[in-house]
Amino acid sequence: MQWVAKMIRNPISAAALSCLLVFLALLGVRATGNLEFLELPAYDWFVRLLPGSSAPDPRIALVQVSEKDILSIGRWPLTDETLAQALTTVLKDKPRAIGLDIFRDIPVPPGTETLNAVLSQNPNIIVTMKFGEGGVRPPPILKGTEQVSFNDILVDPGGVVRRGLLFLDDGDSAAYSFALRLALLHLKAEGVVPQPDERNPQHLRLGNVTFKPFEENDGGYVKADARGYQFFLDYQGPAARFRSYAIAELLSGKVPPRAFTDRIVLIGVTAQSVKDSFFTPYSRGFSEAQQVPGVALHGLMVSQLLRAGLEGVRPLATLTERQEMLWILLWCVFGGVLGLRARSAWRFSFLCFAGLLLIALSAYSAFLHRHWIPLAPPALAFVVSAALVTAYLTSLERKQKALLMQIFSKHVSKEVAESLWRQREQFLRNGRPRSQKLVMTAFFSDLRGFT
């Protein structure tokens, strides 16, 4: 125990021990997921700060069923005849793919036979289902074909959508996502087909871009639901960046000619009464006005897959767990150094603020280059380490000053004692007076008549 006491009295050793304790404590807190409430809002903040694109993606168009359209048509759900008419009208423009984001597991007559004929005769029409037991089945006419996909959307705690899906597997079979089916049809026309990654054949590659599956502890997540083949969504702005048309306009012939030629067309519901809307990182509140329709989110996913396959735009990447630990440890050390060097309150505050600003700028710069690195853990590591080391050194200095004053205050004036304290490095070592070998000149005198 003597070596421990000796180490604690050494400021550098004590600072190193403090940094190590802070590092281990933060790893423990982070492993329980108690920092997600800071990390995920920081992620949303970075998304909102990214430069967005105001131009709509010319490869995608939406046909929306709004509340106004439902009132105009006069019923919900739409009949099979209405859907067949809408699909037939879009097909006249020769789109590359059509995505029907409206469930049709149960026929809604009249027009069921007509709809079945349209679906079966056009392999570029993709329909949706809900995956798994208790979900929604696809139209019976297309069961077991490559025209079926799931439209499940991942929602984080808090209701925000930050990730998308490419595949889901129930142990017996794998299903393609709605966005992936549509994107593959468009990419096929451009000569781009899905390939296994050269380094890891289990990873999907589109063009020159590999989609690394999301893992439960990636980024700021801790033990998140990582089932299926997930990827981070690449938001390009707060609003849907697609040309949109109302289904009532489509049925009445008011859509411009060639509006859907060589495009991916998604047909979905935006009416509030259907409740197919979600919050995104751009949502500043929890009102309905802050929500984005599900069909627009599917369009966003399709656009991201097209940009990856055709333009080489990589999805967001994360550090490995070892790299994240080193990043946090580095800022623990920087905090300890700050605690050792900053003696005044204003200097400590200034350097602490500068350090936090540097952490935020580093994280944002990495985000700009499509890397998500932790923000909250290194910030806490830096501040707590600096505060702990500063508090310890302040306590140690008080004890040293009390000891020095006790030694000299009985023999010298208060001013001399204070001067000795300011030069304490010459007298103290590890909090104790140190022995010194000095050359001293002594002068002895006596006064006449004074003994």
Side-chain angles (χ1 to χ4, degrees):
M1 296 300 294
Q2 186 177 2
W3 68 272
V4 175
K6 187 176 181 181
M7 182 180 69
I8 291 177
R9 286 194 297 268
N10 186 305
I12 295 178
S13 300
L17 180 60
S18 299
C19 292
L20 180 60
L21 292 176
V22 170
F23 173 68
L24 295 176
L26 271 175
L27 288 186
V29 172
R30 189 169 186 246
T32 62
N34 287 324
L35 295 182
E36 269 193 11
F37 80 100
L38 295 174
E39 288 283 71
L40 296 184
Y43 172 91
D44 296 343
W45 179 51
F46 284 160
V47 170
R48 292 193 293 269
L49 289 177
L50 287 176
S53 174
S54 57
D57 192 328
R59 298 165 295 203
I60 300 172
L62 303 183
V63 175
Q64 303 178 353
V65 183
S66 66
E67 207 72 57
K68 183 178 179 180
D69 293 318
I70 294 176
L71 292 174
S72 174
I73 295 171
R75 65 166 296 170
W76 180 261
L78 302 180
T79 64
D80 293 339
E81 182 180 37
T82 301
L83 287 183
Q85 183 183 351
L87 291 170
T88 302
T89 304
V90 174
L91 285 167
K92 291 178 181 179
D93 272 357
K94 297 183 179 180
R96 290 194 179 179
I98 301 175
L100 184 60
D101 191 25
I102 298 175
F103 295 126
R104 198 53 83 198
D105 54 327
I106 299 176
V108 184
T112 301
E113 292 184 0
T114 304
L115 178 60
N116 287 341
V118 172
L119 294 177
S120 60
Q121 293 171 11
N122 295 278
N124 62 336
I125 297 178
I126 304 299
V127 298
T128 56
M129 66 172 185
K130 281 290 184 183
F131 187 80
E133 295 184 8
V136 180
R137 296 172 298 175
I141 191 70
L142 295 181
K143 184 178 181 180
T145 69
E146 293 185 356
Q147 292 178 244
V148 174
S149 63
F150 64 84
N151 66 349
D152 299 60
I153 291 179
L154 292 170
V155 180
D156 283 336
V160 179
V161 177
R162 300 181 179 92
R163 292 167 287 146
L165 281 162
L166 294 177
F167 301 100
L168 279 175
D169 189 344
D170 59 3
D172 296 326
S173 60
Y176 283 64
S177 72
F178 187 49
L180 181 59
R181 285 284 194 197
L182 293 170
L184 291 180
L185 286 174
H186 192 287
L187 292 173
K188 184 178 180 180
E190 300 289 340
V192 178
V193 295
Q195 299 285 343
D197 183 64
E198 295 177 355
R199 295 183 179 179
N200 192 333
Q202 300 298 320
H203 294 175
L204 174 69
R205 188 177 184 86
L206 295 177
N208 297 322
V209 175
T210 297
F211 284 81
K212 178 181 175 293
F214 171 82
E215 297 182 4
E216 62 178 8
N217 292 325
D218 279 352
Y221 289 97
V222 176
K223 297 180 181 178
D225 183 0
R227 289 176 294 179
Y229 199 121
Q230 303 180 23
F231 65 102
F232 287 106
L233 292 184
D234 184 12
Y235 286 94
Q236 295 288 298
R241 300 163 296 103
F242 311 112
R243 291 185 178 88
S244 299
Y245 305 93
I247 194 169
E249 295 176 335
L250 178 70
L251 296 175
S252 60
K254 296 180 181 179
V255 174
R258 300 182 60 82
F260 307 123
T261 303
D262 290 332
R263 290 186 172 90
I264 296 175
V265 182
L266 288 87
I267 303 175
V269 184
T270 60
Q272 291 292 337
S273 59
V274 181
K275 301 298 181 183
D276 187 31
S277 299
F278 303 87
F279 295 106
T280 74
Y282 286 95
S283 302
R284 301 297 183 93
F286 293 97
S287 65
E288 291 184 349
Q290 296 292 325
Q291 294 181 317
V292 173
V295 66
L297 281 179
H298 290 300
L300 171 71
M301 298 177 201
V302 173
S303 177
Q304 182 175 349
L305 295 175
L306 295 182
R307 284 184 285 113
L310 299 175
E311 302 166 19
V313 179
R314 296 180 293 105
L316 188 70
T318 58
L319 302 178
T320 64
E321 290 192 33
R322 179 175 296 181
Q323 290 170 335
E324 290 179 351
M325 290 172 61
L326 290 175
W327 175 245
I328 297 170
L329 179 60
L330 176 67
W331 285 102
C332 275
V333 174
F334 285 164
V337 173
L338 170 61
L340 284 171
R341 298 300 180 187
R343 284 290 186 262
S344 62
W346 71 266
R347 187 179 181 187
F348 176 87
S349 300
F350 173 77
L351 291 177
C352 196
F353 174 77
L356 291 174
L357 182 62
L358 182 58
I359 293 172
L361 290 176
S362 299
Y364 179 63
S365 177
F367 206 82
L368 282 173
H369 292 84
R370 300 190 174 278
H371 279 84
W372 184 13
I373 63 176
L375 176 62
L380 289 173
F382 177 69
V383 173
V384 175
S385 294
L388 188 60
V389 172
T390 300
Y392 171 77
L393 290 182
T394 300
S395 175
L396 184 62
E397 287 181 356
R398 286 176 181 172
K399 292 179 181 179
Q400 291 177 348
K401 185 174 183 179
L403 176 63
L404 193 64
M405 291 300 181
Q406 183 180 6
I407 294 174
F408 291 105
S409 60
K410 296 179 181 179
H411 307 285
V412 297
S413 66
K414 181 179 179 181
E415 292 75 11
V416 174
E418 290 288 348
S419 178
L420 291 172
W421 169 246
R422 289 192 293 270
Q423 304 175 52
R424 59 188 178 276
E425 286 79 7
Q426 301 179 26
F427 304 96
L428 300 176
R429 176 183 293 165
N430 296 333
R432 292 185 175 186
R434 63 178 180 179
S435 60
Q436 299 184 66
K437 185 177 181 180
L438 301 172
V439 177
M440 182 183 71
T441 301
F443 173 72
F444 296 92
S445 66
D446 198 4
L447 294 178
R448 189 172 187 180
F450 183 86
T451 300

